[in-house]
Amino acid sequence: MSEKQTYYITTPIYYPSDNLHIGHAYCTVAADAEARFRRLEGYDVMFLTGTDEHGQKIERKAIAAGKSPKQYVDEIVAGIKDLWKVLNISNDRFIRTTDDYHVAAVQKIFKMLYDKGDIYKNEYEGWYCTPCESFWTEHQLVDGKCPDCGREVELTKEESYFFRLSKYQKALEELYEKNPNFISPQTRLNEMLTNFIRPGLDDLCVSRTSFKWGIPVTFDDKHIVYVWVDALSNYITALGWGSDDDSLYQKYWPAQVHLVGKEIVRFHTIIWPAMLMALDIPVPEMVFGHGWLLLEGGKMSKSKGNVVDPLVLCQRYGTDAIRYFLLREVPFGHDGIFSNEALINRINSDLANDLGNLVSRTLTMSEKYFGGKIAATGASDVLDDELKVLAGDVVSKYTGLMEQLLFSNAFSEVFRLVSRANKYIDETMPWKLAKDEASKDRLQQVLYNLCEVLRIVSILMQPAMPDTSAKILGYLGVDEAGCEWASVNTFGATAQFSTSKGEILFPRIDLEKELDQLEADKQKRAAEAAKAAPAAEAKDAAPAEITIDDFAKLDLRVAEIVACEIVPKSDKLLKLSLKVGKEDRTIAASIREWYKPEDLVGRRIIIVANLKPAVFRGVESHGMLLACENSEDDCKLVFVDDCTPGSQVR
Ligand code: MSP
């Protein structure tokens, strides 16, 4: 290649709302492996990752933590960057949606779409899932809940700007038809067609007014840009689109692949290309929707307390082992189960046994029989030809699979060669050859072939295990040219190996002992957490200090519950009719789990009377009641039966 071909790959930008877990690492490691593979092939690669920092979810978490949203995200983003370092992620850029250049470019995008008439003002009334930051129509809800995550949705009514998504229905259909790989793998295309495209696209609400943590619309600053419009734009703003220097954008856009989890494929394959079409910007070549890494009990989530921390795993088993496991265990595109047992078995069988043995047997024999100096002697055998043909076949299959992001199959090919080489040792029996002086040349040729296999295997394993590959190539004493992709197809490219005996790469793990140990550690952690919980909770819950003036803004009143009923289609809500002095009012509260309506009538409680009204499940709620959250499973209202309804609480 005279001028290098470019390859632009992205991960989703992550919500810095909690620490990231092994599922997030899964996506980033996969993108990293592809980026490394393409660099190896000779591409000029741009690999982007980052954080998606705006939105109601983050704003609420920050408030709960008593921090400003920016302060809150800054801390978590620092942790995310550290995690990527530990996982040896080789991203070229890291974008934060709070970066100035991104904010300015998103404002420009919004204005351009508005000027073009593709964004218009209207009123939005519909359902919003805050954890997913997604809008849903009534008919898209499943049992009244978010169809993506199954959680409660909130009825929202706001003046909003809308993007004319419906206008791009036909253009999107044509895009999918002309580019069958645009949505990959094929199953994801089918999901998009069935669930969204065929039922017909509605215009999309693209601004919010009910909270502040977002990018203001320049020409109407009551509004902030919908977080997905903000987030998706990162793929071009990170390259300087719309700025004074857009040279990276000119060089790398359109992206070759956006790698995303299956639940966000619809944003990337419907909203994003429609936005780009509206802006007259070319669309990316491919959106690949991978599956989820699940636990035996289902999805990982903080509330279930079952998240697997990638930092802990890397510390215990090594980064390369974790990277390899993530790439090898589950065919990319499918869901897969993470378990400690599967991880340990994979480390033992592939890394300690197959690869580790091949490395240590080869290096030991090279040292023992030839003082580490190995060159080809020409004393060949038909077994050697077979090994060479297999190596060539593996390289070519591996290349095709990596180009299609089929990591598991690609690395399984590499291990086909590793296993064959181990068998080759058993067949050629170097220890027997060593006993006969006349077989010295043959012995050296056998060891040369094994070193060549290890050299090729190391190059192929680089995208998954960069450190291990570098170590093996170092032990073989291969020069720079011998580490290059160009040499991977030439079995025999190395003139001489100068080997040294390395450390054991992957010590074998005693499965039973290790599982017992992990269980013991888990119990210890749970006991420590239980002990520390009250203190930690108190600390977490401690809000920022306020002044007496801040407190005076609250209008706290005694209210008498005169009627109470269940809110239809909701597991949590009760509708309370209240008398607050002479005034009647209604409050919807999520207390159904703890109280029966009939037990509440006649009781007196404290309410926040000057809270902005909100609609929950069709009930307009005027205020909030005071309750004490004893634990996640227990909540008690603050009763003040001796107090007079309407009187103020100070
Ligand atoms: N912020 C949005 C993405 C915006 S991209 C313009 C978002 N963030 S996320 O942090 O919730 O998720 C980021 C990625 O992690 C998603 O692709 C998601 O599918 C992936 N994963 C989160 N949990 C996962 C598993 N358990 N398994 C595999 N991937 C998972 O969505």
Side-chain angles (χ1 to χ4, degrees):
M1 287 184 230
S2 55
E3 200 173 315
K4 279 188 179 181
Q5 223 177 310
T6 58
Y7 188 85
Y8 180 26
I9 180 165
T10 66
T11 71
I13 47 174
Y14 296 86
Y15 290 128
S17 54
D18 284 313
N19 290 337
L20 300 189
H21 55 62
I22 194 75
H24 300 110
Y26 178 64
C27 186
T28 314
V29 165
D32 185 63
E34 188 64 21
R36 286 177 184 271
F37 168 69
R38 296 291 178 160
R39 282 190 205 111
L40 197 57
E41 274 195 313
Y43 284 85
D44 176 342
V45 171
M46 168 58 72
F47 169 24
L48 174 72
T49 187
T51 41
D52 181 2
E53 305 186 10
H54 293 123
Q56 195 163 16
K57 180 162 71 175
I58 306 246
E59 187 180 79
R60 283 183 181 172
K61 291 222 171 197
I63 291 170
K67 294 180 181 158
S68 74
K70 184 64 169 55
Q71 193 188 0
Y72 177 79
V73 292
D74 278 352
E75 287 166 19
I76 299 187
V77 171
I80 293 178
K81 286 185 173 172
D82 285 346
L83 172 62
W84 295 157
K85 262 194 214 130
V86 171
L87 276 164
N88 213 347
I89 302 301
S90 63
N91 54 302
D92 299 288
R93 286 187 66 82
F94 188 100
I95 185 168
R96 299 184 57 177
T97 54
T98 48
D99 289 340
D100 291 350
Y101 66 87
H102 172 79
V103 170
V106 168
Q107 290 178 323
K108 190 166 176 174
I109 288 174
F110 204 90
K111 180 77 168 56
M112 278 169 75
L113 294 174
Y114 180 72
D115 288 344
K116 204 184 154 189
D118 273 343
I119 280 182
Y120 60 93
K121 202 171 189 175
N122 207 332
E123 176 146 280
Y124 175 78
E125 185 169 2
W127 299 95
Y128 195 69
C129 173
T130 305
C132 295
E133 302 282 12
S134 301
F135 295 102
W136 300 102
T137 56
E138 183 79 40
H139 76 262
Q140 286 174 319
L141 300 180
V142 176
D143 298 331
K145 302 220 169 96
C146 171
D148 269 0
C149 71
R151 279 178 275 207
E152 292 288 334
V153 284
E154 291 172 34
L155 191 62
T156 319
K157 193 172 175 181
E158 300 179 10
E159 172 196 279
S160 292
Y161 285 95
F162 282 79
F163 172 57
R164 289 190 201 283
L165 187 60
S166 56
K167 176 176 153 188
Y168 291 92
Q169 164 109 23
K170 206 158 174 4
L172 287 169
E173 283 169 10
E174 276 168 22
L175 168 70
Y176 308 148
E177 218 170 282
K178 280 198 196 126
N179 305 279
N181 293 329
F182 175 74
I183 307 181
S184 291
Q186 171 84 31
T187 44
R188 306 277 174 246
L189 169 62
N190 299 341
E191 283 163 16
M192 290 306 112
L193 291 174
T194 315
N195 299 338
F196 300 103
I197 300 292
R198 289 197 190 115
L201 294 173
D202 295 325
D203 287 354
L204 178 74
C205 174
V206 288
S207 78
R208 308 290 314 268
T209 53
S210 55
F211 64 95
K212 282 273 156 258
W213 182 234
I215 299 181
V217 172
T218 43
F219 49 91
D220 194 350
D221 65 8
K222 193 166 81 179
H223 290 257
I224 55 166
V225 176
Y226 172 43
V227 67
W228 271 101
V229 169
D230 167 354
L232 289 162
S233 307
N234 94 88
Y235 300 126
I236 55 171
T237 65
L239 301 180
W241 176 90
S243 75
D244 293 342
D245 178 6
D246 71 350
S247 50
L248 289 178
Y249 169 77
Q250 296 298 344
K251 183 171 179 190
Y252 292 105
W253 191 260
Q256 274 55 55
V257 55
H258 292 319
L259 208 58
V260 302
K262 62 180 182 180
E263 85 286 13
I264 57 171
V265 167
R266 75 189 173 96
F267 298 98
H268 285 80
T269 59
I270 297 174
I271 301 175
W272 180 226
M275 274 172 66
L276 290 168
M277 287 173 189
L279 294 163
D280 285 326
I281 293 177
V283 300
E285 284 176 19
M286 181 199 278
V287 174
F288 191 101
H290 64 74
W292 282 339
L293 203 57
L294 304 165
L295 295 179
E296 261 134 16
K299 226 187 156 190
M300 262 169 256
S301 83
K302 201 182 170 199
S303 54
K304 283 194 200 161
N306 64 356
V307 284
V308 177
D309 184 345
L311 281 177
V312 173
L313 291 180
C314 287
Q315 234 166 29
R316 199 167 181 101
Y317 305 107
T319 294
D320 275 5
I322 300 305
R323 289 175 58 106
Y324 173 69
F325 173 79
L326 292 176
L327 293 162
R328 174 67 185 89
E329 192 65 13
V330 184
F332 206 58
H334 297 249
D335 286 349
I337 305 264
F338 173 89
S339 75
N340 287 314
E341 191 170 345
L343 170 64
I344 297 160
N345 281 334
R346 180 63 73 184
I347 293 176
N348 278 344
S349 69
D350 293 13
L351 303 182
N353 278 5
D354 291 358
L355 181 62
N357 267 343
L358 180 63
V359 172
S360 82
R361 288 163 101 187
T362 306
L363 296 178
T364 308
M365 291 190 288
S366 158
E367 184 78 19
K368 185 169 168 194
Y369 302 134
F370 298 98
K373 297 276 177 268
I374 304 283
T377 61
S380 298
D381 181 300
V382 56
L383 280 174
D384 304 8
D385 298 335
E386 205 190 298
L387 192 64
K388 283 183 207 169
V389 170
L390 179 76
D393 185 44
V394 162
V395 171
S396 110
K397 291 210 171 93
Y398 165 94
T399 309
L401 291 163
M402 285 300 281
E403 282 173 356
Q404 296 171 72
L405 303 149
L406 297 174
F407 305 108
S408 176
N409 310 38
F411 294 118
S412 134
E413 278 298 313
V414 182
F415 274 82
R416 196 156 67 92
L417 181 57
V418 171
S419 302
R420 184 66 193 87
N422 271 322
K423 194 164 159 230
Y424 175 83
I425 299 182
D426 300 338
E427 289 165 347
T428 52
M429 293 187 277
W431 51 91
K432 261 199 173 165
L433 297 172
K435 287 191 181 136
D436 179 3
E437 193 53 34
S439 305
K440 258 235 119 159
D441 278 357
R442 174 66 191 139
L443 175 62
Q444 191 171 176
Q445 183 64 43
V446 165
L447 287 171
Y448 176 85
N449 292 342
L450 290 170
C451 288
E452 271 297 86
V453 166
L454 279 180
R455 181 182 69 81
I456 292 167
V457 163
S458 301
I459 297 173
L460 300 181
M461 288 311 292
Q462 260 180 38
M465 303 200 291
D467 285 348
T468 305
S469 293
K471 270 190 200 161
I472 301 175
L473 289 166
Y475 296 152
L476 292 171
V478 177
D479 63 12
E480 245 176 67
C483 301
E484 278 172 12
W485 181 249
S487 71
V488 83
N489 265 314
T490 319
F491 198 109
T494 317
Q496 192 180 33
F497 292 97
S498 190
T499 70
S500 50
K501 205 163 176 286
E503 63 190 84
I504 293 179
L505 292 172
F506 298 98
R508 216 187 134 70
I509 303 166
D510 182 324
L511 177 66
E512 254 175 62
K513 263 199 199 152
E514 179 70 5
L515 291 178
D516 287 349
Q517 184 62 47
L518 290 173
E519 188 52 37
D521 288 354
K522 191 170 142 197
Q523 306 224 348
K524 196 170 146 210
R525 273 200 308 276
E528 280 168 6
K531 233 164 118 192
E537 265 166 28
K539 185 172 147 282
D540 283 346
E545 264 180 13
I546 58 165
T547 64
I548 190 79
D549 295 339
D550 292 326
F551 178 70
K553 287 184 194 154
L554 284 178
D555 184 15
L556 299 176
R557 301 269 167 182
V558 176
E560 179 164 329
I561 304 171
V562 290
C564 183
E565 60 190 85
I566 286 167
V567 176
K569 284 203 201 166
S570 165
D571 307 336
K572 294 195 177 149
L573 287 175
L574 289 183
K575 178 178 161 191
L576 287 82
S577 305
L578 305 168
K579 267 257 179 261
V580 189
K582 289 193 183 125
E583 184 206 349
D584 293 324
R585 66 164 74 203
T586 305
I587 290 183
S590 297
I591 52 169
R592 187 171 157 193
E593 256 177 273
W594 297 287
Y595 291 100
K596 290 197 194 107
E598 58 272 27
D599 295 341
L600 289 177
V601 177
R603 307 288 315 257
R604 292 177 189 178
I605 56 172
I606 302 176
I607 64 163
V608 182
N610 59 340
L611 194 73
K612 194 174 160 194
V615 180
F616 301 110
R617 295 281 162 154
V619 179
E620 208 167 288
S621 179
H622 293 261
M624 196 177 92
L625 36 81
L626 294 197
C628 167
E629 225 176 275
N630 292 320
S631 71
E632 244 183 72
D633 312 313
D634 183 32
C635 174
K636 289 276 177 297
L637 285 177
V638 177
F639 290 114
V640 285
D641 293 324
D642 296 339
C643 299
T644 313
S647 51
Q648 200 169 20
V649 181
R650 292 175 202 274

